Amino acid sequence: LMVLIHRRKAASAAGCDRMLRILGKQYWDDFIGAAVPPEIKVVNKTGAISRSRSDTALVYGPVPYALTIITDSQKDRRWSSDNEGDRTIRRLGQVVWNHLHPDRQFVAPEGSDKFAPTGGGVE
């Protein structure tokens, strides 16, 4: 669906443009979006329930790509940025970015998770 929206095939061109604008301003940006350099445009839609976390994104890097990661049956059901599902999505997102951009490896700075919407807030 995200690729169809990007290609302006999921609805009218105007409708797809509006969806991309909305998806590009998500508050919940701590999954795939946190795994790429901050200047890279990401449009995404996250989802979360106690036993599952998910994110689907279009990453507009030098090598653009679509990525969906879904966890399920998690034992860790905490609502915190160090939840195993949250960490897994960020880690897989980083693996994909670094694989596709070997000359532009990215690792989020230490402590960045505390500024995530699911983290402890801004200090």
Side-chain angles (χ1 to χ4, degrees), residues 1-7 9-10 19 56 58:
L1 180 57
M2 294 291 269
V3 171
L4 290 174
I5 294 169
H6 166 77
R7 292 180 178 161
K9 303 272 188 211
M19 287 186 269
T56 187
L58 296 172

Side-chain angles (χ1 to χ4, degrees), residues 108-120:
E110 186 172 331
S112 61
D113 61 328
K114 75 177 179 179
F115 296 104
T118 53

Side-chain angles (χ1 to χ4, degrees), residues 2-3 6 11 13 19 29 37 39 42 51 54 56-57 70-71 75-76 78 80 87 89 100 102 106-107 113 117 121:
M2 294 291 269
V3 171
H6 166 77
M19 287 186 269
D29 63 352
E39 67 277 6
V42 176
R51 66 176 171 80
S54 63
T56 187
I70 301 169
T71 71
K75 292 179 182 175
D76 184 353
R78 296 172 301 130
S80 64
R87 288 191 334 259
I89 291 174
L100 293 174
F106 178 76
V107 176
D113 61 328

Side-chain angles (χ1 to χ4, degrees), residues 19-98:
M19 287 186 269
L20 288 170
R21 277 192 289 281
I22 292 168
L23 292 166
K25 297 176 179 140
Q26 294 298 308
Y27 174 73
W28 301 102
D29 63 352
D30 54 331
F31 288 164
I32 294 171
V36 302
E39 67 277 6
I40 300 300
K41 180 180 179 181
V42 176
V43 301
N44 70 302
K45 176 63 180 99
T46 62
I49 57 175
S50 294
R51 66 176 171 80
S52 176
R53 301 292 191 273
S54 63
D55 197 11
T56 187
L58 296 172
V59 179
Y60 291 97
V63 177
Y65 58 94
L67 179 62
T68 297
I69 304 170
I70 301 169
T71 71
D72 195 14
S73 302
Q74 291 182 197
K75 292 179 182 175
D76 184 353
R77 296 179 177 222
R78 296 172 301 130
W79 292 98
S80 64
S81 63
D82 65 339
N83 173 288
E84 73 175 320
D86 294 30
R87 288 191 334 259
T88 298
I89 291 174
R90 284 191 299 270
R91 178 67 183 123
L92 290 172
Q94 178 184 338
V95 166
V96 172
W97 171 269
N98 289 338

